[in-house]
């Protein structure tokens, strides 16, 4: 099954917690703090893998999480940094932030792309020792990692894209030009998924061709199968437009040509300007009048034209050389430029909010304060003293006094509750 759109959630690792430890050794009194720092949480990368051609794997597994950093230990031993997580995706995958729809990365190169950065490890208690506070019994917890809900959208990368109405002979042609073996039958929408084939001219001369499922009128608006697969045409440097000049399906070849180009323009104006080569297929069953009329029309359009028959191989032997020569004149496809901007905090890191919830009850909301509390030993005097110092330095106590706090009132910070004492 060909899956070219998927949604996943990724989480980078949390940083390890700092350690509270003191040096213990025979004949060494008051060894002092020796708690190590926590390790860094694992990053999450996405990397192109040419062995993958679909996003099928992400249909069954949708959550990916990197490892957390190791906690610090005594003797100033820092925790081990976590291993990074690399998620392999097909080359040509676009990564969108699902909530905003912004493009975060185009996974088309060879290097892995960082998507979510792991959290920083917390400091051990050695960082908090001062001449006045010689035995700190607190440390900093590790910072959380980043969490993203992503939408993956695969846009196949091919040099040549075969486009045209259903049943014009695209699958037959790609089977003739390459080793691809698509399903071929005489009914609409035989090709249900894009088919890639490598066309080889020599040991080092080759290009990739893609058989795009047939387009019909209204494809850009969602009609037929074309709407789902038009995105794959955008990656092609050269379009090979097949037209049934025999009218075997009861359609007019000139009308077919104009309709397909109109659908390309509706989907993407840039796509309509792509270099095209038009192939008049089924010339073995077309009359001379039909061939001459269509050839005259295409010449007036200023487009390269070749009559062929994919079934009898008439005119197909010269095609690889013609296509390869045209590709040498065209620039390589440009990668999509990311437009995702990581949101900045709405307020400075040391901001907080305080409010009076009820008579004698006040709540303080501040993530940075909750992180300090997580690493505070509330049963230790010096640890609580450090916490109170943070309240004073950052204006929390002044704000509570402004709100009218009184002796023995309850102060709530996160899951903790304290009694206010002058």
């Amino acid at each position: 099954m060909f899956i070219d759109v998927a949604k996943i959630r990724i989480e980078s690792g949390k940083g390890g917690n700092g350690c509270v430890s003191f040096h213990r050794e025979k004949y060494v009194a008051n060894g002092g703090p020796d708690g190590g720092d926590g390790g860094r949480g694992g990053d999450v990368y996405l990397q192109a893998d040419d062995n993958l051609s679909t996003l099928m794997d992400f249909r069954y597994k949708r959550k990916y999480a990197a490892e957390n950093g190791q906690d610090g230990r005594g003797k100033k031993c820092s925790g081990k940094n976590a291993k990074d997580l690399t998620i392999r995706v097909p080359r040509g995958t676009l990564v969108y932030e699902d909530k905003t729809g912004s493009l975060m990365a185009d996974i088309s190169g060879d290097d892995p792309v960082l998507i979510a950065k792991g959290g920083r490890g917390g400091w051990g208690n050695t960082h908090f020792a001062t001449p006045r506070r010689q035995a700190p019994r607190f440390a900093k917890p590790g910072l959380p990692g980043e969490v993203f809900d992503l939408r993956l959208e695969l846009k196949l990368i091919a040099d040549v894209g075969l486009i045209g109405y259903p049943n014009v002979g695209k699958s037959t042609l790609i089977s003739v030009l390459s080793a691809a073996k698509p399903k071929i039958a005489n009914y609409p929408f035989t090709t249900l998924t894009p088919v890639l084939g490598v066309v080889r001219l020599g040991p080092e001369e080759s290009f990739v061709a893609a058989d795009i499922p047939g387009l019909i009128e209204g494809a850009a608006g969602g009609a037929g199968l074309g709407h789902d697969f038009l995105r794959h045409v955008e990656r092609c440097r050269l379009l090979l437009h097949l037209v049934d000049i025999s009218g075997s399906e009861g359609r007019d070849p000139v009308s077919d040509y104009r309709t397909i180009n109109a659908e390309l323009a509706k989907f993407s104006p840039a796509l309509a300007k792509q270099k095209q080569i038009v192939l008049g297929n089924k010339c073995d069953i077309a009359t001379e009048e039909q061939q001459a009329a269509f050839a005259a029309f295409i010449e007036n359009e200023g487009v390269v034209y070749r009559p062929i028959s994919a079934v009898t191989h008439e005119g197909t032997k010269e095609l690889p050389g013609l296509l390869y020569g045209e590709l040498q004149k065209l620039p390589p496809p440009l990668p999509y430029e990311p437009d995702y901007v990581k949101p900045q905090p709405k307020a400075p890191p040391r901001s907080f909010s305080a409010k009076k919830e009820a008579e004698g009850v006040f709540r303080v909301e501040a993530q940075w304060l909750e992180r300090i509390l997580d690493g505070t030993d509330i049963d230790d005097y010096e640890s609580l003293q450090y916490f109170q110092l943070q309240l004073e330095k950052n204006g929390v106590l002044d704000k509570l006094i402004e709100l009218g706090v009184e002796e023995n009132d309850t102060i709530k910070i996160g899951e903790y509750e304290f009694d206010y004492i002058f």
Side-chain angles (χ1 to χ4, degrees):
M1 183 181 295
F2 184 79
I3 305 294
D4 58 358
V5 176
K7 290 186 179 182
I8 63 172
R9 165 169 283 210
I10 63 169
E11 299 179 7
S12 57
K14 173 184 176 296
N17 297 323
C19 176
V20 177
S21 174
F22 295 91
H23 184 66
R24 294 289 182 264
E25 186 179 348
K26 192 175 182 180
Y27 305 122
V28 177
N30 301 325
D34 67 351
D37 300 339
R40 176 186 58 82
D43 299 333
V44 179
Y45 290 86
L46 263 63
Q47 185 169 20
D49 187 341
D50 291 324
N51 294 317
L52 300 174
S53 59
T54 174
L55 299 175
M56 169 69 79
D57 294 345
F58 303 105
R59 186 177 184 182
Y60 303 104
K61 184 179 179 182
R62 299 189 178 183
K63 184 175 180 180
Y64 296 82
E67 296 178 2
N68 295 331
Q70 195 177 69
D71 294 342
R73 292 176 291 173
K75 298 184 180 180
K76 298 183 180 180
C77 292
S78 297
K80 184 179 179 181
N81 292 335
K83 292 182 179 179
D84 296 332
L85 173 63
T86 300
I87 304 172
R88 298 189 175 276
V89 297
R91 191 179 299 274
T93 300
L94 300 182
V95 183
Y96 293 92
E97 205 277 317
D98 191 45
K99 185 177 181 180
T100 62
S102 300
L103 178 63
M104 298 182 71
D106 179 0
I107 314 299
S108 298
D110 295 324
D111 297 329
V113 179
L114 175 64
I115 301 297
K117 190 170 181 60
R120 191 178 61 201
W123 282 353
N125 66 336
T126 53
H127 291 272
F128 301 98
T130 66
R132 294 185 61 184
R133 189 196 307 121
Q134 298 183 5
R137 298 184 180 275
F138 56 91
K140 279 190 175 182
L143 295 179
E146 296 179 325
V147 180
F148 290 105
D149 289 313
L150 304 179
R151 187 178 88 254
L152 306 181
E153 183 177 299
L154 173 59
K155 292 192 176 185
L156 294 174
I157 298 178
D159 298 302
V160 178
L162 278 66
I163 60 172
Y165 261 87
N167 269 353
V168 295
K170 299 188 302 298
S171 297
T172 303
L173 179 61
I174 199 170
S175 69
V176 171
L177 296 179
S178 71
K181 302 299 179 186
K183 183 178 179 181
I184 300 172
N186 188 28
Y187 54 87
F189 304 127
T190 305
T191 304
L192 301 179
T193 64
V195 176
L196 294 180
V198 179
V199 182
R200 300 190 183 278
L201 289 81
E204 298 181 358
E205 298 174 328
S206 65
F207 59 87
V208 178
D211 173 14
I212 307 299
L215 306 179
I216 64 173
E217 187 172 4
L225 300 177
H227 179 261
D228 293 329
F229 300 111
L230 271 169
R231 69 171 66 93
H232 300 294
V233 188
E234 289 185 291
R235 292 279 196 180
C236 300
R237 294 191 290 151
L238 177 64
L239 300 182
L240 201 55
H241 191 159
L242 267 70
V243 179
D244 176 6
I245 60 173
S246 71
S248 61
E249 298 293 323
R251 297 189 308 268
D252 175 43
V254 173
S255 177
D256 284 2
Y257 173 80
R258 287 174 171 166
T259 299
I260 295 299
N261 281 327
E263 293 303 322
L264 294 179
K266 290 177 185 176
F267 183 77
S268 169
L271 189 57
K273 298 177 183 178
Q274 285 278 63
K275 173 75 175 180
Q276 282 193 24
I277 293 179
V278 178
L279 300 181
N281 194 24
K282 303 185 183 181
C283 66
D284 56 317
I285 59 175
T287 64
E288 293 183 2
E289 291 77 10
Q290 288 174 320
Q291 294 188 47
F294 188 73
F297 166 74
I298 293 298
E299 287 178 5
N300 289 333
E301 293 289 308
V303 182
V304 178
Y305 173 71
R306 293 290 185 276
I308 67 162
S309 172
V311 173
T312 64
H313 298 188
E314 181 181 343
T316 60
K317 292 182 180 180
E318 300 81 9
L319 271 181
L322 172 64
L323 298 176
Y324 187 79
E326 290 293 334
L327 288 172
Q328 301 311 302
K329 305 174 187 176
L330 299 174
L334 295 175
Y336 289 79
E337 291 296 330
D339 56 9
Y340 175 76
V341 179
K342 185 175 291 187
Q344 299 297 320
K346 295 182 180 180
R350 291 291 185 177
S351 65
F352 67 91
S353 63
K355 63 181 179 180
K356 186 174 182 179
E357 285 191 334
E359 191 62 35
V361 180
F362 297 80
R363 175 169 290 280
V364 177
E365 294 183 354
Q367 288 187 352
W368 61 269
L369 202 52
E370 292 181 31
R371 286 199 296 267
I372 293 177
L373 262 176
D374 288 339
T376 299
D377 182 0
I378 58 176
D379 296 323
D380 178 69
Y381 173 75
E382 285 191 342
S383 188
L384 279 177
Q385 195 176 39
Y386 173 79
F387 176 67
Q388 185 173 356
L389 179 62
Q390 301 305 310
L391 296 178
E392 293 177 358
K393 284 175 59 177
N394 293 283
V396 179
L397 292 182
D398 292 338
K399 183 63 176 179
L400 290 172
I401 293 173
E402 181 183 326
L403 293 173
V405 68
E406 296 182 355
E407 184 88 18
N408 295 323
D409 282 352
T410 300
I411 310 299
K412 295 182 179 181
I413 303 176
E415 298 178 353
Y416 295 90
E417 294 186 3
F418 302 91
D419 291 332
Y420 181 79
I421 300 175
F422 288 109

